[in-house]
Amino acid sequence: MKQHFLAVNRESLAKQASLLRIASMKLADSLRAGTFRSLYRGQGIEFSGVREYLRGDDVRAIDWNVTARMGKPFVKLFEEEHELQIFLVIDRSFSMFTGSGKRSRYETAAEAAALITMAAEVNASSVGAVIFDGEIRFSCSPESGRRRTMLLLTRLDETDGSESAGSVLGSALTGAGKLLKKRSLVFVLSDFRSTSWIDPLASLAQKHDVAAVRITDASDNELPEMGTVPFIDSETKTRLVLPTSLSSFRNAWRADNRQHLAGWRESCRKHGVLPLIIATDDDPVRVLSNFFAHRGQTA
């Protein structure tokens, strides 16, 4: 049985598509304002002429035919390519389907990913993605155009209930690096409840601009007082009985979340990854727009 996420709590999919498109227009403006200048450095693909070699130029750019004719070295010039290429790494593991409010973590991640995808189309940027749970479920290299947008929106919107337990976040990050042939802006949307992802994330950030988007929920930090309550881990199916009414337990829960969050932020910053948090009760348009606006001020 297929489930749909982007149309939840909307009168129709058409209305939701309209709402997403309006929001993505605003986000596209913020994306352009964000600049991400490092992505625009480097040689484009269109030859525009030659100039005399200057000390420090890449010797691989020398035009040997012109050099032979002129008797001194000349290098090829290329028009700079300004297309911003975007890639999405999207977590659809079991833990992403949890949440204490109206939306699950995955619904929040799917809406954010859909907005970024549609904003990329508005900006004529190419976009690709990998979607994973305990396995890699879908992947595609970046392309631009409406067909690619609709493909990604369809993949984000549906799941057939065949998800595998666990999370292959590390493998998804490694796979993204193999798919990307030019410097890109990569968004990793996950709750980061996985292991062995730090090294692949660091490796990806060496060649690309990477934003780690952590999807959180109010229950991460605060549990309601419900007495002694049985909890089941969505990934391992481990069953625990937690004393939610004890202030000492709630304090320990809160402290543990703060510690994990601080460690995650430190790991991101250490490896040049931009940390961003979107909570299940946040408006993804607002959070993403603020993120790009901040990048525009600091770029």
Side-chain angles (χ1 to χ4, degrees):
M1 176 73 69
K2 288 187 176 181
Q3 301 180 53
H4 297 269
F5 298 98
L6 298 179
V8 170
N9 297 324
R10 301 287 194 244
E11 292 178 5
S12 68
L13 183 58
K15 181 179 179 181
Q16 170 67 353
S18 176
L19 290 171
L20 281 173
R21 184 159 294 279
I22 292 170
S24 68
M25 294 288 285
K26 175 183 177 182
L27 189 60
D29 290 338
S30 301
L31 180 60
R32 282 192 292 270
T35 308
F36 291 89
R37 291 175 187 167
S38 65
L39 296 172
Y40 300 124
R41 297 173 186 158
Q43 181 172 290
I45 59 174
E46 187 175 347
F47 176 73
S48 63
V50 297
R51 65 162 170 79
E52 193 170 339
Y53 175 87
L54 298 175
R55 185 172 182 176
D57 284 340
D58 189 343
V59 295
R60 292 174 297 182
I62 292 177
D63 187 318
W64 295 106
N65 290 330
V66 176
T67 296
R69 281 202 315 270
M70 303 301 293
K72 55 184 176 181
F74 279 75
V75 294
K76 297 177 182 178
L77 296 177
F78 295 84
E79 291 290 341
E80 191 175 10
E81 184 181 9
H82 288 280
E83 180 192 86
L84 177 62
Q85 182 169 281
I86 294 173
F87 196 82
L88 303 167
V89 179
I90 304 152
D91 187 347
R92 203 163 68 185
S93 59
F94 285 144
S95 62
M96 289 290 287
F97 291 91
T98 61
S100 59
K102 294 181 179 179
R103 291 192 306 183
S104 69
R105 299 170 205 269
Y106 180 70
E107 288 173 279
T108 304
E111 184 172 339
L115 286 164
I116 294 169
T117 298
M118 297 180 78
E121 182 188 340
V122 171
N123 278 336
S125 297
S126 56
V127 61
V130 57
I131 301 174
F132 68 93
D133 46 51
E135 304 174 21
I136 302 297
R137 291 294 177 175
F138 169 78
S139 66
C140 65
S141 56
E143 287 185 12
S144 59
R146 176 59 59 85
R147 181 175 296 181
R148 174 48 50 89
T149 298
M150 296 310 298
L151 171 63
L152 291 182
L153 292 182
T154 299
R155 292 290 185 170
L156 286 168
D157 190 45
E158 294 182 349
T159 176
D160 59 10
S162 64
E163 291 77 19
S164 297
S167 171
V168 292
L169 174 56
S171 296
L173 294 169
T174 299
K178 293 178 179 179
L179 278 175
L180 297 173
K181 306 304 181 185
K182 58 175 277 189
R183 191 170 181 88
S184 304
L185 173 56
V186 181
F187 291 91
V188 185
L189 298 105
S190 174
D191 57 8
F192 291 88
R193 296 184 179 184
S194 182
T195 59
S196 305
W197 56 266
I198 294 178
D199 288 344
L201 185 70
S203 178
L204 192 65
Q206 289 177 1
K207 297 181 179 179
H208 306 280
D209 278 14
V210 181
V213 184
R214 189 179 183 113
I215 309 299
T216 65
D217 184 76
S219 61
D220 294 342
N221 193 59
E222 199 71 46
L223 287 177
E225 295 184 42
M226 298 183 296
T228 302
V229 180
F231 281 74
I232 299 176
D233 187 295
S234 59
E235 297 287 355
T236 65
K237 305 305 179 185
T238 300
R239 183 183 176 90
L240 297 172
V241 178
L242 305 180
T244 63
S245 293
L246 291 180
S247 59
S248 58
F249 174 79
R250 295 198 307 277
N251 289 338
W253 181 276
R254 201 175 299 119
D256 184 69
N257 178 65
R258 284 198 298 266
Q259 181 180 352
H260 276 87
L261 205 56
W264 170 77
R265 281 198 177 102
E266 177 60 27
S267 294
C268 289
R269 288 169 177 153
K270 177 181 178 182
H271 298 294
V273 175
L274 298 165
L276 175 65
I277 291 176
I278 301 181
T280 54
D281 57 357
D282 276 337
D283 175 7
V285 176
R286 179 186 60 80
V287 177
L288 288 168
S289 294
N290 289 342
F291 170 72
F292 292 133
H294 177 70
R295 279 289 291 174
Q297 295 166 6
T298 59

